[in-house]
Amino acid sequence: MNGLTLAYLGDAYYELEVRKYLINKGFTKVKVLHNEAIKYTSGQAQAHIYETLLENDFLTEEEITIFKRGRNNSSSGRKNVDAKTYTTSTGFEAMIGYLYINDKDRLNELVNKSIDIIEKGGINNG
């Protein structure tokens, strides 16, 4: 599967897991859920998560390879995010998609760690 297809799958799965997490935290209003979810799923958030995972040696060589496959096949981005952030977030999503297919235990570990990174440190999405 190519990197962009993995990213497509990873984007959907990660979004679903974040939404379930937020609902379990007690958020029920759709507008609030959406605004909270952006803190975890925006391109800036995903790039921050990836960089934090990388800096803390949390990723395997295989995961980094898959990240690069997604990143390198990504387009130059969208008008609301710079190209580096966009390609990094696409690589992150490719990693999630790959793990969804190949290693559900590691997938759960990575998603939980990703949520934890945002919960503890957050980023400025503003």
Side-chain angles (χ1 to χ4, degrees), residues 35 38-40 42-45 80-81 85 122-126:
N35 290 335
I38 289 169
K39 296 176 185 176
Y40 300 83
S42 70
Q44 293 89 349
N80 63 339
V81 66
T85 300
I123 63 160
N124 181 2
N125 283 314

Side-chain angles (χ1 to χ4, degrees), residues 1 7 11 13 22 24 31 33 42 44 48-49 54 64-65 68 70 73 75 77 81 84 88 97 103 105 107 120:
M1 211 176 288
D11 176 51
Y13 181 82
L22 294 172
N24 286 333
K31 184 174 181 174
L33 279 165
S42 70
Q44 293 89 349
H48 172 71
I49 291 165
L54 190 63
I64 293 168
T65 298
K68 289 177 181 176
N73 286 304
S75 66
V81 66
K84 182 181 185 303
T88 301
D103 190 344
D105 289 335
L107 171 66
K120 287 185 175 166

Side-chain angles (χ1 to χ4, degrees), residues 3-68:
L4 291 181
T5 303
L6 291 172
Y8 181 78
L9 179 60
D11 176 51
Y13 181 82
Y14 183 67
E15 179 81 30
L16 176 62
E17 288 302 302
V18 166
R19 289 178 181 198
K20 286 178 5 186
Y21 170 76
L22 294 172
I23 289 168
N24 286 333
K25 279 186 73 171
F27 294 102
T28 57
K29 296 184 179 185
V30 173
K31 184 174 181 174
V32 174
L33 279 165
H34 174 74
N35 290 335
E36 287 296 313
I38 289 169
K39 296 176 185 176
Y40 300 83
T41 61
S42 70
Q44 293 89 349
Q46 291 177 349
H48 172 71
I49 291 165
Y50 176 77
E51 290 162 7
T52 302
L53 294 170
L54 190 63
E55 288 169 8
N56 290 289
D57 296 322
F58 191 78
L59 301 173
T60 66
E61 288 301 318
E62 182 178 36
E63 291 163 352
I64 293 168
T65 298
I66 297 300
F67 163 83
K68 289 177 181 176

Side-chain angles (χ1 to χ4, degrees), residues 88-99:
T88 301
S89 67
T90 303
F92 172 80
E93 292 169 346
M95 247 178 15
I96 298 293
Y98 176 82
L99 290 172

